[in-house]
Structure formats: C-alpha cells, structure tokens
Amino acid sequence: RRQQATVRPHQLARIGGPQVGLEPLLRNLRLSTLLLWGAADAVVPLDCAQQYRAAIAGAQLEVFDGAGHCVEMEEPERVAQSITSFAGR
C-alpha cells in the first residue's frame, strides 16, 4: 500500500518553493518558457507556479485540472500535446 507524502507550507522553502529566493534567478531567464502544473499539486502548490510565471518574462502557464505533482505521468498525452504546440509556435 502506497502512502502519500504531505508537505506543509513551511516545508516548501526546503524543496523549492518561492521562499528560497528563486524569483531573482527566474527574472534573468531569457528563454521561451512553458510551465506545466497540476492544479492539485500538494508538493509545490499552484500559487508557486503563478509566481514563477510572473517572474519569467513571457512565460506561459498551463494548469492541468485534477493532476498533482507528476503531471507528465498523470496526463502524458496532454503534456506531449502542450509541449508540441508550444515548441511549434
């Protein structure tokens, strides 16, 4: 039987949440950026994705309703379609 890990907001600083000071680094990105995020991500919440999108100039955020942290495993066809569409623009 698998157990699901629970991460509390104060723990995000240790695993990559916005509190670790990523925003200054993200603001320096000058690449086309596609953020794919699960709306139900309990490890790195959606509000982090929204902060990352705001910090990266021109970034595009696609949110997958019902998906969690492993959106590429939960929605592989949709993820592939999103990447293909993004790369072709």
Side-chain angles (χ1 to χ4, degrees):
R1 187 174 165 178
R2 281 180 111 174
Q3 289 186 321
Q4 184 174 354
T6 301
V7 179
R8 294 184 177 46
H10 70 278
Q11 295 171 308
L12 286 174
R14 291 185 288 197
I15 61 171
Q19 301 90 332
V20 297
L22 287 179
E23 287 190 49
L25 298 172
L26 297 176
R27 290 188 195 292
N28 290 323
L29 286 179
R30 299 293 178 250
L31 303 168
S32 295
T33 304
L34 173 63
L35 301 165
L36 303 175
W37 223 270
D41 190 333
V43 178
V44 184
L46 182 57
D47 66 316
C48 293
Q50 293 162 338
Q51 290 177 42
Y52 298 159
R53 180 187 55 192
I56 302 169
Q60 180 180 328
L61 171 62
E62 185 164 345
V63 178
F64 293 78
D65 291 331
H69 187 67
C70 299
V71 69
E72 71 283 356
M73 292 169 42
E74 297 171 53
E75 297 276 354
E77 292 174 8
R78 217 172 129 209
V79 166
Q81 188 175 35
S82 295
I83 293 170
T84 300
S85 175
F86 181 78
R89 63 179 186 130

